[in-house]
Amino acid sequence: MAGTTREEFLKTVRQSLGRKEGAPEPEYLALRLRREDQRQKVVTIEARVEARRRDLLTRLERVAGQSGWRVYRAASPEAAAGYVLKLAREKAADLVVRSEHDVFRRVPIDGLLRQEGIAVTPILAARAGDREHLRQEMDKAQIGVTGVDYAVAETGTCVLLPRRGVSRAVSLLPPVHVALVEPHQVYETLDDLFAVRRLAFIQGRGDAGSYLSLTSGPSRTADIEQTLVIGVHGPVEAHLVLLPPAPEAASPRPGTPSP
Amino acid sequence: MAPVQVRTQEFPRASSRALANGRVQQALTNVMGHFDHAREAAIQELTPEVWERYRERGREIKRHAMEYLDFYLELLSERVEANGGKVHFARTAQEATQIVLEIAKALGVKVAVKGKSMLSEEMGLNHALEEQGIAPVETDLGEYIIQLAQEPPFHILAPAMHKTKEEVGELFAAKLGLGGLQQIPDMAAAARKTLRERFLQADMGITGVNFAVAETGTVVIVTNEGNGRMCTSLPRVHVALMGMEKVVPALEDLSVMLRLLPRAATGQRITSYVTLVSGPRQPGDEDGPEEFHLVIVDAGRTRLLADPELREALYCIRCGACLNTCPVYRKVGGHAYGWVYPGPIGSVITPVMVGLPRARDLPFASSLCGACREVCPLKINIPLMLVSLRRRLMEGAPGERGVSWGQRLLVRLWSRVVASEGSLRRARRLAAVFQRPFLRRRVVRWIPFPPFSRWTRNRDMPGLARRSFHELWDRDLKTTGRSKRP
Amino acid sequence: MKVSLFVTCLVDQLFPEVGESVVKLLRRVGIEVEFPREQTCCGQPALNSGFMAHAKPLARRWLDLFEESQYVVVPSGSCAAMLKVSVPEMFRQEAGLYERAQALAGRTYELSQFLVNVLRVQDLGARFPGKVTYHPSCHLLRELGAATEAQTLIRGVRGIQFVPLDNPDRCCGFGGTFSVKYPSLSGAILEEKLRAIEATGADVVVACDSGCLMHIAGGMRRRGMKVEAMHLAQILAQTAPAEGAPAEPKDGAGAG
Ligand code: SF4
C-alpha cells in the first residue's frame, strides 16, 4: 500500500514540534469533561432550553425563514399533514418518499396522500430490500419528507442522524424537502447541539453514528457571477413544518441523558 | 503523473497581464465587492464584540491543536478506525495521489465524483485519475465550470468567479452539448441534471475536509450546494482528503469554527449543509458508502509547523476573506499567483510548499496594508509572515535566498546614507545636483534610472525640498519659541 | 511638557514644510519642541524589504537618540508603527534592548494620536477654508488603531468642509518599496483611491503619512487632477490666512 506508516508520519510531526516523545495528553477542557460532567452540562442545557422554549421556537422560525426555509407553523398534526398534501398537489407529485421518524406516528401523511392517489414510500431498507430500487425511488420522488433529530434556533438548522429508517438521501435527492420539527427537538445554539451529541458519543461508548447532517435551508450556489441560485444539487425547496407539542410526554431524543 | 504546474516565478509578468486583461478586471470589479459586504454585514449582525470573542476562541483552538498535533492526529486516526474507516498517511502530495489511485484501482472505480478540495489541486489529482482511465467529475458548480474550461481555480471559494455567464453558456454548449443557455438559473439547473446522473453512476466520492474532530473520529464537510452530501452518501466508497492541520480536538470546538467559517467566507450564519462523517455506513444504515478512507496529508505542512514564525499559517480555514479584501488580489485575481493558493495567505503558504526561491516574488506582492490580518477569522498575522519570508530571501541561508542583486546594492548604499546625519547631508547635496536635469517646476515627471524610473512610470515624483527639515530647524525653528507666521 | 520630534526621512528631505507645521502647532498649544539633530530614518524601508540587519542599527540609533525624551512625536502613522510595534519586536531576543525599546515605544506617538489621546485637544485654533477629504493610511489605522483621531481634528478646524471618502480604509497602493517593485500594480490600486477622491469633489485630500501622500499626489498630478494633497499637520497649522495670501502653505501642495 502506498503512503507512510502512522508511526513514521507522527514522528515527523513530533520532530517539527521539537518533541522527542509523544505528547502527554493535553489538558483540554472540552476533552476532559468525562461522562458525568458532560451529563451535568447537558442537564443544564435541557433546563435552559425548556425554560426558553417559546422564545426558541420564535427564533427558529425567524432565522430559518431568513436562511431560505419556508416555515409553516402547524396548529395540529393534521394541519401539518394537510400542508404536505397541499404541497404534493401543488407540485403535481405522484411519488413522495419519507423517513421512518417517530413523528409520522403523529402526522399521518401516508393515508392522506394515498387517498389522493399519491404514492408514499417509507424508506426502510429491511422492508423493501433492494437498495438500488430505493435509490431510484428517491431520485424519482418529487418530495421527501422527514422528521428531524434536533433543530438549532441560532442557525435555523435541522439536524438528521441517519440510521435505520432514516436514509441520507430522502432529504437530499428529491427537489422538495419537508422537515417536520417537534418543539422538544429545538435547541438554542450550536454549542448545545454538539454538547448533546458529545454526550451521546460518550454514552454510546464511542459510537458517534456514521453521519450527522445539518441542513440550514435549501441548496444554493453563487458560483456564477456571484448570483444566488437556489437548488443546485440538493433540494430546491426546503420546508420546515413546526408542530405543536405532543400532548403526552415527549418521546425521548437520541441525545437525552439517561438518568 | 504530471505534478501540479508551478508558475509562481511568473507572478510579475502574470500580474501585469491580469491588469491589462479587461475581462479579468471586469469580473473582479463586478464580484469582489459582494464578498466584503456580505462578511461585514454578518459581523455587524452578530456584533463585532461577539465576533471578536469567537475569533479569539477559534485562534485558541487552532493554537492548541497545532501544539499537540501529534497527539490529536493519533487520536483522530484511532477513532476513525474504531468507526470502521481506514486511515492513510501521506508525506507528500504524490504519496496521497498514489493512495487514492490504489483505492480506486482495487475497487475498479470508473467514475469518481468530487467535492471541492484545494488539497486535491495540490495533488493534481484529476490529472492522475484521468491517466488511469478514471473519470473525475467535479461537482461543485464553480469547480465543474473550471474543469470544463480546463483551468485552475481563480479563488479558493469561488473558483469560477472570473467567468461571465456568457462564457459559462458557451462552455456548456461546447463541452456538454447544451446550447442556448442564457440565464444563470438555467445553467445551474443544467448542471444539476448532468451531475445528478454522474452522482448516481459514480463508484467513488472524493471530498476535502473542512475540520476533523479527533475525539470522535469525524470529518466535517461544509457546502452550500449539497454536493458534499451527495459525494458522501451515494457512491460505494468515500475518500476524504485532509491536510493534517484540519484537526480540532473536540466536537464542541465545531460550534466556534462553524460560526467563523461561513461568516468570513460568504457572510452566512451557516452554510446550507454541514456534514459530519464518522466512518462508513453502519449495519442497519439505509445508505452511505461501504468504505470510508481518510487520507491525512503533510505535503510541506510540517515545514510550517516547525517554523515558529510561520506556524500560524496552519490556523487557516480557507475562508477566502483575506483574498477578498486584499488590494493586490482584487486587482490581479487568482491565476497570477501561479499555484493553488492565491492571495495573502497563498503568498505565505506557497513559498513554503513549492520552495522559497521559486516563489520569491510572492512575499513582495503586498503593500503590507494589513487588511488581510484585520479580516482573518483566525487573526493570522499575514503581513508579519510576509516580512519574515522577505527576510529569508534577502538574508537567509543560500538555499532560501532569492537573487536580487540590485536590491542588495541599493540597500547597502541607502544604509550608508542614513547611517548618520552627516552622510545624509552629503548625499543630499549630491542628489540635488543629480536631480537638476529632470526637475520641471520642482517635480520629476520622468527619470531613466531605477528604482525611480519605476515610480515615474505612472506617478510624478517630488524633487528634494529647497531646504531639508534639518536646515529649516537650524535657520528658523530652533531658537524661536514661536513660529513666525501667526 | 517637552516633545522630541522624529520628523521622518521623507519629511526631512522632501516635505520639510510638514515638519515645520508640526513644530508650529505644537508650540501653539504651549509645548516645548526639540529636534535631535542626529536623526535620519527609522529603518522601516529596510525591515520591510527583508533587510533586518540593515534596519537594526537604525532602530538602535533611534533608541540612543531619543531615550531621554519625555515624548517622541512622529508625523507618520507608518514610521510610528515601525517604532512602536516592529522595533521592540525586532529586539525581542535581546535582553535589555527589548525592554528599552518597549519603554520608548510607549512614549512614542503618531501626531494625531498624540494630540487627541495625550494632549486631549480637539481644537487647535486652526482655520482652513476648503473642502477636504481624509484618507486613513493603513498602518495608522490598523497597526496603531487610529480610527477617529485625525477626523476629530479635521472636524475641529474652522471653515473646513469635511467630505468622507468612499471605502476609506482601502489601501492607496503605496506600500513603501512595493510602489517601485510593482509599479503597475501599485498604480492600479491607486487608481481606485483617486477615483474615490475625485468623487468627493474635495479640493484637498488629507492624510497622516507623507509616503501615501507622495504616491497619491504623484498620481493626481499625472492625471491632471486639481486636488491638493496635504498632511494633517499642514491643515492644523493654518490659522487665519495672511492678507491676500492663498490658503496654502508657502511651499505649495505639501506632498504634491
Ligand atoms: S488566512 Fe485567514 S482570511 Fe485568509 S483564507 Fe485563511 S482563514 Fe481565511
Side-chain angles (χ1 to χ4, degrees):
Chain A
M1 198 70 202
T4 304
T5 62
R6 183 168 85 182
E7 285 60 43
E8 275 297 311
F9 192 94
L10 292 179
K11 207 173 107 194
T12 318
V13 173
R14 218 163 273 144
Q15 277 165 359
S16 310
L17 288 166
R19 267 204 294 272
K20 289 217 168 57
E21 305 287 305
E25 181 163 345
E27 296 263 309
Y28 193 72
L29 189 69
L31 281 180
R32 278 208 337 268
L33 279 186
R34 299 299 174 210
R35 183 181 164 137
E36 191 42 39
D37 302 333
Q38 190 73 18
R39 208 184 67 79
Q40 267 315 318
K41 186 171 172 182
V42 171
V43 167
T44 315
I45 291 172
E46 299 286 356
R48 166 170 42 83
V49 165
E50 198 49 57
R52 296 188 191 164
R53 181 75 65 211
R54 193 197 280 270
D55 288 345
L56 287 187
L57 297 183
T58 312
R59 185 168 171 200
L60 175 69
E61 190 177 353
R62 177 172 54 85
V63 177
Q66 289 165 353
S67 311
W69 288 100
R70 303 178 189 200
V71 184
Y72 173 66
R73 232 171 151 156
S76 66
E78 292 70 31
Y83 183 82
V84 176
L85 175 63
K86 194 169 132 264
L87 203 59
R89 281 202 196 120
E90 257 169 42
K91 307 289 167 200
D94 51 20
L95 176 60
V96 172
V97 291
R98 70 160 175 86
S99 66
E100 285 282 357
H101 279 99
D102 284 342
V103 70
F104 292 106
R105 287 199 217 127
R106 288 180 66 201
V107 184
I109 65 167
D110 295 11
L112 201 61
L113 290 171
R114 282 174 189 147
Q115 274 175 15
E116 297 276 321
I118 300 166
V120 183
T121 310
I123 302 302
L124 188 62
R127 215 176 288 160
D130 180 5
R131 283 171 198 275
E132 196 43 49
H133 168 73
L134 273 182
R135 184 191 277 194
Q136 278 164 17
E137 290 271 298
M138 287 187 272
D139 187 40
K140 268 196 329 221
Q142 290 88 359
I143 300 177
V145 190
T146 68
V148 306
D149 295 297
Y150 316 92
V152 181
E154 175 192 358
T155 46
T157 302
C158 289
V159 184
L160 280 161
L161 184 62
R163 57 183 181 274
R164 188 181 148 79
V166 181
S167 152
R168 302 180 185 198
V170 176
S171 57
L172 183 62
L173 292 181
V176 178
H177 172 213
V178 184
L180 306 175
V181 179
E182 299 187 81
H184 72 269
Q185 296 172 314
V186 181
Y187 285 91
E188 184 167 4
T189 63
L190 289 173
D191 301 280
D192 297 348
L193 171 71
F194 291 118
V196 168
R197 284 311 300 161
R198 179 159 188 266
L199 180 64
F201 170 76
I202 297 173
Q203 288 182 335
R205 294 197 183 71
D207 179 5
S210 61
Y211 208 77
L212 192 71
S213 181
L214 280 63
T215 303
S216 313
S219 157
R220 68 183 74 213
T221 186
D223 274 353
I224 305 174
E225 294 189 354
Q226 284 301 296
T227 303
L228 183 67
V229 178
I230 300 296
V232 199
H233 299 304
V236 184
E237 281 180 28
H239 298 256
L240 193 158
V241 178
L242 201 49
L243 290 158
E248 76 279 31
S251 48
R253 358 161 200 219
T256 302
S258 42
Chain B
M1 183 191 334
V4 214
Q5 297 249 15
V6 179
R7 295 177 181 279
T8 46
Q9 315 85 308
E10 294 167 27
F11 182 82
R13 259 173 302 142
S15 57
S16 302
R17 270 204 305 275
L19 286 172
N21 184 330
R23 280 188 18 249
V24 169
Q25 292 306 312
Q26 193 56 49
L28 285 165
T29 333
N30 289 349
V31 165
M32 290 318 299
H34 288 290
F35 286 110
D36 258 6
H37 288 144
R39 186 193 61 246
E40 199 37 54
I43 291 167
Q44 287 307 328
E45 190 229 22
L46 194 67
T47 77
E49 294 71 38
V50 175
W51 176 244
E52 195 54 30
R53 247 191 353 256
Y54 289 140
R55 285 172 93 194
E56 286 295 343
R57 275 179 62 194
R59 214 180 138 74
E60 182 49 32
I61 290 169
K62 290 301 271 187
R63 193 196 59 70
H64 174 85
M66 291 309 106
E67 191 171 330
Y68 292 95
L69 190 57
D70 52 344
F71 175 84
Y72 288 118
L73 284 177
E74 189 163 11
L75 184 61
L76 173 71
S77 66
E78 278 168 7
R79 293 288 158 88
V80 169
E81 302 215 320
N83 297 338
K86 176 95 183 66
V87 181
H88 310 259
F89 290 90
R91 256 181 306 203
T92 61
Q94 286 83 351
E95 263 184 32
T97 306
Q98 276 311 322
I99 292 168
V100 178
L101 291 181
E102 276 181 28
I103 299 168
K105 274 191 258 173
L107 294 164
V109 169
K110 303 241 162 29
V111 177
V113 281
K114 279 186 68 199
K116 197 149 76 66
S117 155
M118 296 311 287
L119 175 55
S120 80
E121 303 282 342
E122 285 179 50
M123 294 158 58
L125 182 60
N126 286 356
H127 186 83
L129 287 168
E130 276 163 15
E131 281 196 338
Q132 300 297 319
I134 300 161
V137 183
E138 294 288 355
T139 62
D140 172 86
L141 181 57
E143 287 283 346
Y144 184 56
I145 292 167
I146 61 162
Q147 188 186 26
L148 292 177
Q150 296 180 302
E151 283 178 27
F154 192 82
H155 187 284
I156 59 177
L157 215 78
M161 58 152 274
H162 59 304
K163 295 264 179 235
T164 60
K165 63 173 191 283
E166 288 75 25
E167 289 173 282
V168 176
E170 283 162 27
L171 207 54
F172 277 25
K175 302 281 171 135
L176 303 173
L178 299 169
L181 296 175
Q182 282 169 2
Q183 300 306 316
I184 294 170
D186 298 336
M187 295 171 194
R192 176 189 174 101
K193 197 154 167 288
T194 317
L195 288 172
R196 179 60 68 92
E197 282 164 32
R198 305 297 258 170
F199 278 125
L200 293 171
Q201 220 176 25
D203 320 282
M204 185 187 247
I206 302 173
T207 68
V209 169
N210 292 97
F211 308 102
V213 182
E215 179 184 33
T216 52
T218 302
V219 303
V220 183
I221 299 153
V222 174
T223 76
N224 268 317
E225 299 183 1
N227 59 323
R229 285 180 70 193
M230 294 278 190
C231 291
T232 56
S233 297
L234 301 177
R236 264 189 306 145
V237 51
H238 170 205
V239 179
L241 307 170
M242 69 172 264
M244 63 175 203
E245 79 281 12
K246 298 290 181 203
V247 68
V248 295
L251 209 48
E252 287 162 274
D253 295 329
L254 286 180
S255 53
V256 178
M257 291 311 188
L258 288 176
R259 285 178 187 123
L260 291 175
L261 177 57
R263 283 186 175 84
T266 52
Q268 290 172 280
R269 278 199 196 97
I270 193 167
T271 49
S272 288
Y273 304 109
V274 176
T275 303
L276 281 70
V277 179
S278 311
R281 79 130 90 34
Q282 289 176 356
D285 277 5
E286 301 299 332
D287 38 22
E290 287 145 29
E291 286 185 25
F292 171 69
H293 297 263
L294 177 61
V295 187
I296 302 176
V297 186
D298 179 342
R301 287 162 176 78
T302 42
R303 287 203 289 280
L304 288 169
L305 188 66
D307 194 322
E309 289 182 343
L310 304 181
R311 185 185 285 183
E312 259 188 61
L314 293 175
Y315 300 0
C316 173
I317 55 173
R318 310 278 189 261
C319 71
C322 60
L323 280 62
N324 302 336
T325 201
C326 174
V328 173
Y329 181 91
R330 292 169 75 103
K331 279 291 153 203
V332 303
H335 288 163
Y337 290 81
W339 202 58
V340 181
Y341 302 104
I345 191 65
S347 295
V348 174
I349 295 176
T350 305
V352 178
M353 304 273 212
V354 308
L356 191 48
R358 252 219 287 198
R360 68 194 172 100
D361 295 308
L362 294 183
F364 290 95
S366 162
S367 64
L368 302 180
C369 73
C372 47
R373 180 189 185 193
E374 185 178 64
V375 300
C376 175
L378 278 301
K379 302 171 80 159
I380 300 175
N381 195 340
I382 298 174
L384 195 66
M385 293 193 286
L386 292 174
V387 169
S388 162
L389 289 170
R390 290 177 181 189
R391 209 177 65 240
R392 293 159 204 224
L393 280 159
M394 295 306 167
E395 299 180 335
E400 285 185 321
R401 273 202 202 187
V403 223
S404 62
W405 213 84
Q407 274 192 55
R408 246 176 258 283
L409 190 75
L410 268 173
V411 79
R412 282 234 182 96
L413 239 123
W414 173 86
S415 267
R416 289 256 178 95
V417 168
V418 295
S420 74
E421 199 273 322
S423 53
L424 184 58
R425 193 166 358 107
R426 284 188 293 278
R428 179 186 168 78
R429 252 180 251 139
L430 212 72
V433 177
F434 174 83
Q435 72 169 0
R436 216 167 286 151
F438 304 102
L439 269 186
R440 302 277 178 280
R441 301 170 68 200
R442 301 200 53 234
V443 165
V444 179
R445 293 189 60 90
W446 173 80
I447 196 166
F449 314 101
F452 308 107
S453 57
R454 301 170 71 87
W455 178 281
T456 56
R457 196 184 290 177
N458 48 12
R459 289 148 293 184
D460 287 3
M461 195 169 80
L464 287 172
R466 285 194 198 98
R467 292 194 181 82
S468 72
F469 182 79
H470 275 89
E471 289 161 359
L472 280 187
W473 177 265
D474 294 343
R475 243 176 57 128
D476 313 331
L477 298 167
K478 184 163 57 183
T479 46
T480 56
R482 302 266 154 260
S483 58
K484 283 184 199 155
R485 274 194 297 165
Chain C
M1 187 188 280
K2 191 168 168 183
V3 154
S4 305
L5 176 63
F6 185 84
V7 83
T8 80
C9 55
L10 224 49
V11 167
D12 185 20
Q13 299 302 316
L14 303 172
F15 313 112
E17 62 277 11
V18 171
E20 200 180 6
S21 301
V22 176
V23 174
K24 224 187 268 181
L25 67 94
L26 285 175
R27 285 182 176 160
R28 191 194 299 150
V29 290
I31 300 220
E32 195 183 329
V33 183
E34 63 142 12
F35 177 67
R37 277 201 90 266
E38 276 303 304
Q39 63 179 281
T40 58
C41 170
C42 66
Q44 179 172 234
L47 182 74
N48 283 354
S49 316
F51 297 98
M52 199 198 287
H54 292 268
K56 268 192 172 172
L58 290 160
R60 279 298 302 265
R61 255 181 95 74
W62 166 70
L63 203 51
D64 294 340
L65 280 169
F66 287 84
E67 201 152 24
E68 304 298 317
S69 305
Q70 190 185 357
Y71 287 105
V72 183
V73 168
V74 190
S76 155
S78 197
C79 305
M82 167 76 182
L83 298 172
K84 288 176 76 66
V85 183
S86 308
V87 168
E89 207 44 53
M90 221 173 358
F91 293 127
R92 189 173 271 286
Q93 307 301 331
E94 293 166 56
L97 271 183
Y98 176 63
E99 289 73 20
R100 285 173 59 199
Q102 280 257 318
L104 184 54
R107 305 198 302 277
T108 300
Y109 290 90
E110 183 278 330
L111 175 69
S112 68
Q113 290 193 303
F114 180 74
L115 293 172
V116 175
N117 304 336
V118 180
L119 296 186
R120 310 221 162 263
V121 290
Q122 305 196 345
D123 179 358
L124 286 137
R127 171 178 297 279
F128 188 91
K131 202 169 167 189
V132 163
T133 189
Y134 171 69
H135 165 64
S137 46
C138 298
H139 291 172
L140 178 60
L141 185 67
R142 301 206 176 84
E143 289 206 45
L144 301 179
T148 55
E149 287 86 340
Q151 289 197 37
T152 305
L153 292 167
I154 292 173
R155 286 176 197 276
V157 174
R158 282 170 194 80
I160 211 162
Q161 188 192 349
F162 176 72
V163 268
L165 200 58
D166 223 18
N167 295 315
D169 54 351
R170 292 255 170 84
C171 177
C172 70
F174 172 59
T177 50
F178 172 76
S179 63
V180 287
K181 172 114 182 149
Y182 290 110
S184 26
L185 196 40
S186 170
I189 299 169
L190 172 62
E191 200 60 36
E192 277 187 24
K193 185 58 71 180
L194 297 187
R195 250 178 272 145
I197 293 170
E198 206 158 36
T200 62
D203 318 311
V204 180
V205 52
V206 176
C208 297
D209 269 277
S210 296
C212 308
L213 283 168
M214 174 170 78
H215 175 70
I216 292 171
M220 292 198 302
R221 250 179 212 254
R222 190 54 66 91
R223 290 173 110 230
M225 279 169 66
K226 292 275 169 278
V227 184
E228 304 257 26
M230 289 176 79
H231 193 283
L232 177 67
Q234 293 172 287
I235 302 276
L236 298 180
Q238 288 211 26
T239 46
E243 207 71 31
E248 294 134 342
K250 66 173 189 299
D251 260 334

